[in-house]
Amino acid sequence: MPDPDVTLAAIERARERIADRVRCTPILHNETLDTLLGAHLSFKCECLQQTGAFKARGAVNAVFSLSDDRLRAGVVTHSSGNHGAAVAYAARLRGVPATVVMPTNSSAAKFDAVRDLGARILTCEPTLTAREARAAQFVAETGAAFVHPYDDPDVIAGQGTLALELLQQQPDLDWVLVPVGGGGLLSGVATAVKALRPQIRVIGVEPARADDAARSFRLGSLVPYQVPDTIADGLRGALSERTLAIIRQRVDEIVTVSEQGIVAAMRTLWERLKVTVEASSAVPFAALLEAPPAMREAICGRRVGIVLTGGNVDLKTLPWS
Amino acid sequence: MPDPDVTLAAIERARERIADRVRCTPILHNETLDTLLGAHLSFKCECLQQTGAFKARGAVNAVFSLSDDRLRAGVVTHSSGNHGAAVAYAARLRGVPATVVMPTNSSAAKFDAVRDLGARILTCEPTLTAREARAAQFVAETGAAFVHPYDDPDVIAGQGTLALELLQQQPDLDWVLVPVGGGGLLSGVATAVKALRPQIRVIGVEPARADDAARSFRLGSLVPYQVPDTIADGLRGALSERTLAIIRQRVDEIVTVSEQGIVAAMRTLWERLKVTVEASSAVPFAALLEAPPAMREAICGRRVGIVLTGGNVDLKTLPWS
């Protein structure tokens, strides 16, 4: 297993690099939800971030970390979701062409978002193998720089900037809850939080139907990947050796939530916080709503930071309608 | 017509009075919408306000302006919507009982919101006459203090605090667009804006199907009130002598928008800004989307402040599903 290679210093450099290019997103509070959980909740609203998701942070940091020479042929990535739009956004800011390999079953809204940001789209079969192969082929043909959705120290450092903001906005947190898919966000957040406030408990949350991170975390090595079937489409990725190593070292716990719990949490956040979070975003809050008695008791009176990761949803097909 | 009796000084006092009791709401920007309109838009997100609407400002200012003696029997209001929850919220903060007269056809969500805030609910027939009569009867029986939804200088001054914040957050505005129903918000905002930055153009926007304010504004006197049929349920009220006087003196223009325009604007705001604004909130943005060529040209390159008034929607019945 490689040593974790993302440091607080890298995250602080990332913050400077991306400062004028992404938003410092607001924190929302809600008394009704606080009363419901018996805790003080601080929701970090990355759904209000550029491109509608925290992914802009990592993509901008990665693209702006590359040399002009390395970017001569532009950048490429593969993504069915928010990372594609984030790379398109970063490339547009940098003034280089972006290509996004997208599976044919991506939603029309995702295609539109990437296209509206000026990126070229290449479609492929909806499997991880096909995506990776198409992107690798494009790199071989053109020399474009590949920006991985999470297995990249610059991407992880960019995502970690979210935690620097959160700790500044809400210095007195006891817990931080973060969704986990490929683990880029959780790695970046845990690195920043444990370096600055080691007493804060960092908890990853993932759908029970996509629990590879929880199992890999317990086992200490990557479990075989199977495409998971969960409404939280942003969390279908699997940990890499790199993110597993960081998470094993810096994350306290990974818990899982049910599909019904995710939908209930999503709806409650829409109704109470008035933000259109996507299903993946609702996963950490679902962990609080579904908390077993021991966890419910443990959070009582605590100050809990919750990362709402994105807000890109198809309004025509809401899961409760 | 009475002299306008709300001053900048009253609004500044209101700001101090309500400072720790309501939120300073964030401004959101969106490049895609800016590009679409050719203007720089600043959305003031009162949907993220306490109780989910700007109404908390006016209600808190009014309730905290009353003496303990005046509040011995609590407060009462009538409202089918956000003002009821706002008065309930203000009364709870002040520690006095609140009673809200609500028409029987109010949504379950509105009943829940008022009840959850600890207020007593009295139901009545869904007419303005019935609401006013039931509230007046309650005042006569109990001596409770009545807090009008908009025809009250303290309520208007409270709503005006929104503009003080907006001008601080975004000092370089050219235009401010505000929805108009009973005119309390528009009166407060116009008073603050014209006192501080008279060069800013203040525009009221209302549904064409509820255009009493536009007609009264042009005529210079109140037109007869008919219950309007519009999806923007927060804008069904009619101007009072007081709000008409203030608006005639301080507002530059009132424009109207179509029902389809309101729905399209609402959906665009959900999709792009990621906030669950209610239909009434989408009315000013609809005016930009539907702007005739002359207005489209006039806003080109301008800095436009847009008040998103509230976010209380029934997620089960969205107008585009």
Side-chain angles (χ1 to χ4, degrees):
Chain A
M1 197 174 290
D3 269 354
D5 50 4
V6 179
T7 61
L8 176 63
I11 297 172
E12 285 171 338
R13 283 195 302 275
R15 177 167 56 176
E16 283 179 38
R17 196 175 288 121
I18 72 177
D20 298 333
R21 301 174 173 122
V22 302
R23 297 186 186 130
C24 174
T25 55
I27 304 277
L28 293 181
H29 298 286
N30 187 281
E31 285 174 24
T32 309
L33 300 182
D34 284 1
T35 305
L36 182 71
L37 274 310
H40 184 65
L41 311 180
S42 297
F43 293 94
K44 177 69 172 160
C45 288
E46 289 293 302
C47 44
L48 305 179
Q49 184 53 267
Q50 294 285 10
T51 75
F54 75 92
K55 294 278 189 182
R57 297 175 182 269
V60 169
N61 190 49
V63 169
F64 280 83
S65 296
L66 293 167
S67 67
D68 287 345
D69 191 53
R70 189 70 197 78
L71 284 168
R72 252 180 312 121
V75 292
V76 60
T77 194
H78 57 77
S79 166
S80 60
N82 292 327
H83 176 67
V87 167
Y89 172 76
R92 195 183 62 173
L93 287 182
R94 184 76 191 256
V96 299
T99 303
V100 181
V101 176
M102 298 181 73
T104 47
N105 64 348
S106 304
S107 73
K110 303 278 184 192
F111 278 116
D112 288 349
V114 171
R115 199 178 293 113
D116 287 353
L117 286 161
R120 176 182 174 195
I121 294 171
L122 299 176
T123 55
C124 70
E125 291 303 299
T127 67
L128 188 57
T129 317
R131 280 159 56 158
E132 288 175 343
R134 190 72 192 84
Q137 184 194 347
F138 187 81
V139 168
E141 286 167 5
T142 66
F146 179 67
V147 180
H148 193 279
Y150 52 87
D151 191 31
D152 177 322
D154 292 320
V155 170
I156 294 171
Q159 320 303 31
T161 62
L162 182 163
L164 299 184
E165 274 178 29
L166 174 62
L167 294 178
Q168 236 164 12
Q169 292 166 306
Q170 207 66 36
D172 55 357
L173 294 173
D174 300 308
W175 289 22
V176 173
L177 267 64
V178 183
V180 52
L185 176 64
L186 182 57
S187 295
V189 168
T191 299
V193 169
K194 290 297 182 180
L196 290 168
R197 306 257 161 73
Q199 72 281 16
I200 293 178
R201 196 166 171 79
V202 178
I203 300 173
V205 189
E206 71 179 347
R209 282 205 194 162
D211 69 343
D212 65 283
R215 288 185 295 130
S216 300
F217 182 74
R218 278 195 299 270
L219 191 67
S221 63
L222 294 177
V223 298
Y225 177 73
Q226 290 178 308
V227 181
D229 172 28
T230 170
I231 188 175
D233 58 347
L235 306 181
R236 288 181 190 148
L239 297 187
S240 66
E241 292 287 352
R242 185 193 319 269
T243 56
L244 176 60
I246 297 174
I247 288 168
R248 285 272 292 180
Q249 184 175 323
R250 296 171 188 159
V251 169
D252 294 288
E253 189 181 1
I254 297 186
V255 301
T256 61
V257 294
S258 73
E259 296 294 300
Q260 311 94 282
I262 297 169
V263 173
M266 181 178 169
R267 182 167 183 168
T268 301
L269 292 170
W270 284 48
E271 283 179 342
R272 294 295 180 174
L273 283 191
K274 317 296 180 189
V275 286
T276 65
V277 292
E278 57 192 80
S280 306
S281 279
V283 163
F285 184 59
L288 296 184
L289 290 181
E290 291 195 331
M295 183 176 172
R296 201 52 106 92
E297 203 171 300
I299 62 168
C300 194
R302 300 280 177 186
R303 294 166 214 276
V304 182
I306 296 173
V307 181
L308 300 179
T309 48
N312 294 318
V313 276
D314 183 350
L315 295 178
K316 265 183 297 195
T317 55
L318 296 174
W320 51 77
S321 61
Chain B
M1 198 174 288
D3 270 354
D5 50 2
V6 177
T7 60
L8 176 63
I11 297 172
E12 285 170 338
R13 283 194 303 273
R15 177 167 57 178
E16 282 178 38
R17 195 175 289 123
I18 71 177
D20 299 332
R21 300 174 172 123
V22 302
R23 297 184 186 132
C24 175
T25 55
I27 305 276
L28 293 180
H29 300 285
N30 187 281
E31 286 173 24
T32 309
L33 299 181
D34 284 1
T35 306
L36 183 69
L37 274 309
H40 183 63
L41 312 180
S42 298
F43 294 94
K44 177 69 171 161
C45 289
E46 289 293 301
C47 44
L48 305 178
Q49 185 52 268
Q50 294 285 12
T51 74
F54 75 93
K55 294 279 190 182
R57 297 176 183 269
V60 168
N61 190 49
V63 168
F64 280 83
S65 296
L66 293 167
S67 67
D68 288 346
D69 191 51
R70 191 67 196 79
L71 285 168
R72 253 180 313 123
V75 292
V76 61
T77 193
H78 58 76
S79 166
S80 61
N82 292 328
H83 176 67
V87 167
Y89 172 75
R92 196 183 61 175
L93 287 182
R94 183 78 192 255
V96 300
T99 303
V100 182
V101 176
M102 298 180 72
T104 47
N105 65 348
S106 304
S107 74
K110 302 279 184 192
F111 278 118
D112 287 350
V114 171
R115 198 178 294 112
D116 286 354
L117 286 161
R120 176 182 174 193
I121 294 171
L122 298 177
T123 55
C124 69
E125 290 303 301
T127 67
L128 187 58
T129 317
R131 280 159 57 160
E132 288 175 342
R134 190 70 191 84
Q137 183 195 349
F138 187 82
V139 168
E141 285 167 7
T142 65
F146 179 67
V147 181
H148 193 278
Y150 52 87
D151 191 30
D152 176 323
D154 292 321
V155 169
I156 295 171
Q159 321 302 30
T161 61
L162 183 164
L164 299 184
E165 274 178 31
L166 174 61
L167 294 179
Q168 234 164 14
Q169 292 167 307
Q170 207 67 35
D172 56 357
L173 294 174
D174 300 307
W175 288 23
V176 173
L177 268 63
V178 182
V180 53
L185 175 64
L186 181 57
S187 295
V189 167
T191 298
V193 169
K194 290 297 182 180
L196 290 167
R197 307 256 162 72
Q199 72 280 14
I200 294 178
R201 197 166 169 78
V202 178
I203 300 172
V205 190
E206 71 179 347
R209 283 206 194 159
D211 69 344
D212 65 284
R215 289 186 294 129
S216 299
F217 182 73
R218 278 195 299 271
L219 190 66
S221 63
L222 294 177
V223 299
Y225 177 73
Q226 291 178 305
V227 181
D229 173 29
T230 170
I231 188 175
D233 58 346
L235 306 180
R236 290 183 190 146
L239 297 187
S240 66
E241 292 286 352
R242 186 193 318 269
T243 56
L244 176 60
I246 297 175
I247 288 168
R248 285 272 291 181
Q249 184 174 322
R250 295 169 189 159
V251 169
D252 294 287
E253 190 181 0
I254 297 185
V255 301
T256 61
V257 294
S258 74
E259 296 294 301
Q260 312 94 281
I262 297 169
V263 174
M266 181 178 168
R267 183 167 183 168
T268 302
L269 292 170
W270 284 49
E271 284 180 342
R272 293 295 178 174
L273 283 191
K274 316 297 180 190
V275 285
T276 65
V277 292
E278 57 192 78
S280 306
S281 278
V283 163
F285 184 59
L288 297 183
L289 291 181
E290 290 196 330
M295 183 175 171
R296 201 51 106 92
E297 205 171 296
I299 63 168
C300 194
R302 300 279 178 189
R303 293 167 213 277
V304 183
I306 297 173
V307 181
L308 299 179
T309 47
N312 295 318
V313 277
D314 183 349
L315 295 178
K316 266 183 295 194
T317 54
L318 296 173
W320 51 77
S321 62

